[in-house]
Amino acid sequence: MKKCLTVCSSHLITLPSAPHGPVRAAIADAAAAVAEFDPELVVFFGTDHRRAFRSVVPTFAVVLSATAQGDVAGPSGAYDVPSSLGRELVADLVSHDFDIATAYEAALDHAFGHTARDLLGSISARPILPIFINCASPPHASFRRAASLGRRVGSFFEDKRVLYVGSGGLAHDLPGFREPETGAVLTEEERQAWIKSVNERARAEGTIRELVRTWDEAFLAGVGGTSWEWLDEIGVDLVERGGNGAAECLTWTAAWAAGGQALTVLAHEFDTNGRAVVMSV
């Protein structure tokens, strides 16, 4: 009986406005595999869209208590976070030379909430240990560093029956995240109005990036094996090749390394953005 399962998925793929294609169907298949696997713990590598962490943005953080913000039609309520286990993980990571932050509490946005709900049914269905990776506010960690973090996390939990989740990606560009982080706190209404204005200006100025699927394909080939050779190249010219949203794939990279297994593509779609669901088998 296998001790771990890894699932990585784009988020926002089950919104009513999202395409009813292979990726939406694949998340249901992944959820069925998760239910059959029946994990005792979910270690969830997720990111944020400049909502949860404002005055301080850690590169990596273990979250000891978490609620869901309910943004973008996402779930709300409290996660079942095993805080004592989280503290033990932080101590282990520090002892292995990772400068990990401890988030005693955090209100996590849809980067965690949508995928947790899609895979588990609800955010409180199973114990979830959230591990935040900054993907929205440069500078970001390298893909190799995210993999190193994931590998250490996997070693720490090697005696448990764990589901590793990565949420985000693939190639997409978000004009609203091109500007430097300021730490400003906005209401959700103010935030949505600002994003709308930024996107409208980008369209008017002709600065919307037209991405192609080659970055997606290179990344999926990387997590489709167990070699680490691809990690140094995948982040080169990331914004030009994959858009600033492609940094979210740092979460997939950490989950892939934690599980230590090749991931199989259940579905991949690309129009002007990429989205996919992958899983270890």
Side-chain angles (χ1 to χ4, degrees):
M1 182 179 295
K2 60 183 179 182
K3 294 289 289 183
C4 73
L5 176 69
T6 305
V7 178
C8 299
S9 172
S10 306
H11 42 243
L12 302 183
I13 59 177
T14 57
L15 284 173
S17 58
H20 286 260
V23 170
R24 184 187 286 263
I27 196 69
D29 293 339
V34 168
E36 182 178 359
F37 177 66
D38 191 23
E40 61 178 301
L41 173 68
V42 180
V43 176
F44 195 123
F45 296 94
T47 185
D48 181 48
H49 300 83
R50 298 184 179 177
R51 287 186 177 91
F53 296 93
R54 303 306 306 125
S55 58
V56 176
V57 182
T59 300
F60 303 122
V62 174
V63 180
L64 302 185
S65 176
T67 56
Q69 293 198 18
D71 60 295
V72 198
S76 58
Y79 291 85
D80 178 10
V81 180
S83 57
S84 296
L85 193 58
R87 289 176 184 271
E88 293 173 15
L89 174 61
V90 169
D92 179 83
L93 290 170
V94 170
S95 72
H96 287 85
D97 299 327
F98 287 92
D99 296 321
I100 191 79
T102 302
Y104 294 106
E105 58 181 62
L108 304 173
D109 81 351
H110 67 270
F112 284 86
H114 270 263
T115 304
R117 181 183 61 190
D118 289 347
L119 290 176
L120 306 173
S122 75
I123 64 172
S124 59
R126 296 181 186 271
I128 296 178
L129 185 60
I131 300 179
F132 166 79
I133 298 179
N134 170 38
C135 303
S137 301
H140 310 124
S142 68
F143 281 85
R144 182 172 289 274
R145 188 59 172 168
S148 296
L149 173 73
R151 179 168 59 186
R152 184 60 223 167
V153 171
S155 296
F156 182 79
F157 289 118
E158 62 184 358
D159 294 328
K160 292 187 176 295
R161 189 170 175 77
V162 180
L163 168 66
Y164 294 108
V165 176
S167 174
L170 297 169
H172 62 295
D173 193 65
L174 303 169
F177 292 92
R178 295 178 189 170
E179 298 180 12
E181 173 67 272
T182 65
V185 178
L186 304 176
T187 66
E188 191 61 24
E189 291 75 16
E190 291 170 336
R191 177 185 177 79
Q192 292 303 324
W194 178 75
I195 289 174
K196 181 180 179 181
S197 69
V198 169
N199 288 341
E200 288 176 347
R201 186 169 68 250
R203 283 192 291 271
E205 295 173 352
T207 59
I208 297 293
R209 285 195 176 88
E210 293 295 330
L211 302 172
V212 295
R213 62 186 298 138
T214 53
W215 191 88
D216 276 20
E217 292 168 346
F219 179 80
L220 292 173
V223 296
T226 57
S227 168
W228 282 34
E229 293 181 358
W230 62 280
L231 290 169
D232 296 319
E233 291 297 324
I234 198 67
V236 175
D237 297 327
L238 177 65
V239 173
E240 294 301 320
R241 294 191 296 146
N244 58 15
E248 290 181 343
C249 290
L250 290 166
T251 67
W252 291 40
T253 304
W256 164 78
Q261 302 171 38
L263 304 182
T264 297
V265 177
L266 301 185
H268 174 222
E269 300 171 38
F270 191 93
D271 35 47
T272 57
N273 299 319
R275 54 196 167 273
V277 178
V278 299
M279 185 175 73
S280 60
V281 294

